[in-house]
Amino acid sequence: MKFFKVLLLIFLFTGLYGYGQSRTKPNIVVIIADDAGWGDFGFHGSEIKTPHIDTLAQRGTRLNRFYVHPTCSPTRAAFLTGKPAGRMGIVAPISNKSKLALPDSITTLPQLLKQQGYKTALFGKWHLGLHPESGPEKYGFDYSYGFLHGQIDQYTHHYKNGDRSWHRNGIFIDEPGHATDLIANETIKWLDGLQDPSENFFVQIAFSAPHFPLQEEEKWKKPYKNTFRNTSRIAYAAAMTHMDAAIGKILKKLNDKKSAENTIILFFSDNGAMENWYPKEQYGGKFGPCSELGKNLPLRDWKTSNYEGAIRVPAIVYWKGQTKRRVSDHYISVTDMMPTLVHLAGNTEIPPTVEGTDVSNCFLNLSEPTANGIYIRGHLQECFIEKPWKLIRTRTVDAAPLYELYNIENDPYETHNLTAGEPEITVKLQKKLTAEFQKDSKKVNLDITGRR
């Protein structure tokens, strides 16, 4: 009798892990918002309407402790490579006419998935190389469409200095339309073009919303005219709802094609929201100031810092029949996503360059993985997180660095610096942070004074 019980357990276990077989490998859809705040989603209690994202949150697993880098290029580099972006010298947004790009010597997520037979595509924001020769195709994407830079005029699709950015497969193009709509429409068109339903696909959809400049039609702003007083806050809310509607169209297409039956959907924001935007000469002075953008409350601070409001972001994973409706409080880094998705695609051989951890057990609610330390480097700060502690170091030009220690379980809003009261913990984490910092590239895209 015990023998048959063991057989039954093996059957159930292997059935759950059947994604490793070619017939049951999942499709993967990753959706990335740009500068979306913790407090700007309906499922976090916002007045901003995000019904399609909320549905994902209700049906899937909310990753309540999902950590990214303080800005966009570093987060995207870490996601695709499975290692802290500082290792590649990318610690701030790649901007202006920089030649900096993601190193082509490091194996990327789409490259590994291609080895598993996946078709790969990226729609929307790239921001890991501002020139076509360092675009997505170089790093494993079969198809790419969208913009190379970090921010664009939503209609002309030009960068803030006037450079062209909108492209299809590395060739600059001019198209009418709002970036949010174009990204969604191209994604749907590509999905429609898949002829063989047995072929797996990996799609990365990186919206430009709700990143400034905010250029939303009246129909998106009208629902918020009586909700918010600040005009830029209204436009920000409109951008969020516009993006949510675009996501809804993509999810509907997946359902219509029956692809949603076996598709992992991962959603997250690349970093927390910005407080405001004063553009000055950007876009030739076309846009006025935005005095109020997103909300990271109740978390502390804004994009570019290493406080929770910048690096702890909304994240959801949904895989029909596999993920559970729950909230996971496991500490997860964006660097963990590369090895996790590769494993779920059936590949157990992770490149030695990867520093992230496979957290697929957390996705599937089998067990909470062992907590690992999380290292995050930003503009002038870096931090090391080891549950329940977080040590932040702020570097300055002409003085010793400043340290802050928080128990982010008891004090998630980072109000009580415990360096004086917890000297042993402080010293231990200082050593770990220093060791991680020393592993970073000595050539970074930001100097200590914060100039780009």
Side-chain angles (χ1 to χ4, degrees):
M1 188 67 179
K2 288 184 177 180
F3 174 76
F4 289 106
K5 286 183 178 180
V6 170
L7 282 180
L8 178 60
L9 287 171
I10 292 173
F11 174 78
L12 291 172
F13 187 82
T14 55
L16 184 60
Y17 273 81
Y19 53 78
Q21 304 300 318
S22 60
R23 291 184 180 178
T24 57
K25 286 191 300 187
N27 302 310
I28 301 170
V29 174
V30 177
I31 305 171
I32 305 175
D34 198 351
D35 285 13
W38 180 269
D40 291 325
F41 293 85
F43 69 91
H44 276 170
S46 177
E47 294 172 293
I48 297 175
K49 297 175 175 62
T50 53
H52 298 100
I53 300 172
D54 295 348
T55 298
L56 284 178
Q58 292 161 6
R59 293 178 178 175
T61 298
R62 287 165 52 183
L63 307 176
N64 197 42
R65 289 278 185 178
F66 190 86
Y67 287 94
V68 297
H69 289 264
T71 52
C72 33
S73 294
T75 291
R76 294 161 203 274
F79 170 71
L80 289 177
T81 65
K83 60 193 302 175
R87 310 291 197 249
M88 297 161 275
I90 302 173
V91 299
I94 300 174
S95 60
N96 296 320
K97 297 183 180 293
S98 174
K99 291 290 185 179
L100 181 68
L102 189 68
D104 58 8
S105 58
I106 301 173
T107 305
T108 65
L109 173 60
Q111 287 170 342
L112 288 175
L113 293 177
K114 279 170 66 72
Q115 294 175 11
Q116 293 295 104
Y118 279 71
K119 287 186 174 295
T120 61
L122 182 142
F123 302 95
K125 181 172 179 174
W126 172 237
H127 209 187
L128 291 173
L130 308 184
H131 308 277
E133 59 269 23
S134 55
E137 300 83 10
K138 187 175 182 179
Y139 302 93
F141 287 102
D142 298 319
Y143 188 93
S144 68
Y145 169 90
F147 57 110
L148 299 172
H149 290 75
Q151 59 170 280
I152 53 167
D153 182 302
Q154 306 293 346
Y155 286 100
T156 69
H157 315 132
H158 287 189
Y159 183 50
K160 61 184 178 182
N161 66 3
D163 285 352
R164 299 185 74 185
S165 191
W166 203 255
H167 73 101
R168 181 181 282 110
N169 295 323
I171 300 174
F172 288 127
I173 57 175
D174 293 308
E175 287 186 312
H178 192 287
T180 297
D181 297 322
L182 294 177
I183 291 167
N185 293 343
E186 190 80 3
T187 303
I188 290 168
K189 181 181 177 181
W190 187 86
L191 290 171
D192 270 333
L194 296 174
Q195 301 298 322
D196 186 351
S198 68
E199 283 189 310
N200 287 110
F201 57 83
F202 164 62
V203 177
Q204 184 172 323
I205 308 161
F207 286 98
S208 60
H211 198 295
F212 53 78
L214 300 167
Q215 299 161 269
E216 297 298 330
E217 295 178 84
E218 187 64 23
K219 67 177 181 179
W220 299 113
K221 293 190 287 187
K222 186 176 180 180
Y224 300 106
K225 292 294 180 70
N226 295 323
T227 305
F228 305 116
R229 293 182 178 181
N230 186 283
T231 55
S232 54
R233 179 64 174 162
I234 290 171
Y236 178 95
M240 286 288 295
T241 299
H242 189 181
M243 176 182 66
D244 181 84
I247 291 171
K249 291 178 181 178
I250 295 168
L251 297 180
K252 182 178 184 302
K253 176 55 62 176
L254 291 172
N255 281 318
D256 291 347
K257 291 181 66 67
K258 307 299 182 184
S259 299
E261 296 298 314
N262 189 32
T263 296
I264 298 170
I265 299 171
L266 172 66
F267 171 86
F268 64 93
S269 180
D270 63 349
N271 45 251
M274 285 193 68
E275 181 178 14
N276 48 47
W277 180 51
Y278 296 95
K280 299 180 181 178
E281 298 86 14
Q282 296 180 27
Y283 301 99
K286 179 178 178 180
F287 300 104
C290 294
S291 58
E292 186 178 346
L293 293 172
K295 297 291 184 186
N296 296 322
L297 294 174
L299 304 180
R300 178 178 175 180
D301 222 321
W302 310 94
K303 171 183 175 179
T304 75
S305 79
N306 271 62
Y307 296 106
E308 296 285 274
I311 62 174
R312 181 180 169 189
V313 296
I316 305 159
V317 63
Y318 173 67
W319 185 6
K320 187 175 181 179
Q322 301 287 356
T323 52
K324 306 298 182 183
R325 297 184 181 187
R326 70 183 187 112
V327 176
S328 170
D329 287 314
H330 180 72
Y331 287 41
I332 295 175
S333 167
V334 67
T335 60
D336 298 330
M337 293 302 96
M338 191 263 222
T340 299
L341 294 175
V342 168
H343 174 71
L344 292 173
N347 188 345
T348 57
E349 296 184 9
I350 306 299
T353 56
V354 172
E355 297 182 40
T357 302
D358 171 17
V359 294
S360 54
N361 280 3
C362 179
F363 277 32
L364 299 171
N365 198 28
L366 295 175
S367 63
E368 292 290 356
T370 302
N372 292 304
I374 297 174
Y375 168 66
I376 302 169
R377 181 173 175 177
H379 284 55
L380 298 173
Q381 291 179 313
E382 46 273 343
C383 66
F384 190 85
I385 301 170
E386 188 173 79
K387 184 180 181 179
W389 303 103
K390 176 181 177 184
L391 183 74
I392 301 174
R393 180 173 72 179
T394 304
R395 284 169 284 121
T396 59
V397 177
D398 53 4
L402 303 174
Y403 289 94
E404 299 166 73
L405 178 70
Y406 299 101
N407 184 320
I408 51 177
E409 293 284 333
N410 298 335
D411 180 23
Y413 316 129
E414 299 169 301
T415 57
H416 303 291
N417 181 1
L418 300 175
T419 51
E422 298 283 355
E424 292 183 5
I425 296 294
T426 300
V427 170
K428 183 181 84 167
L429 294 186
Q430 281 178 344
K431 291 179 179 178
K432 292 187 175 184
L433 188 150
T434 299
E436 293 293 337
F437 189 80
Q438 289 175 345
K439 296 178 188 177
D440 284 348
S441 169
K442 300 302 182 285
K443 296 180 179 180
V444 298
N445 68 321
L446 180 79
D447 65 19
I448 199 171
T449 61
R451 292 186 295 268
R452 289 202 299 276

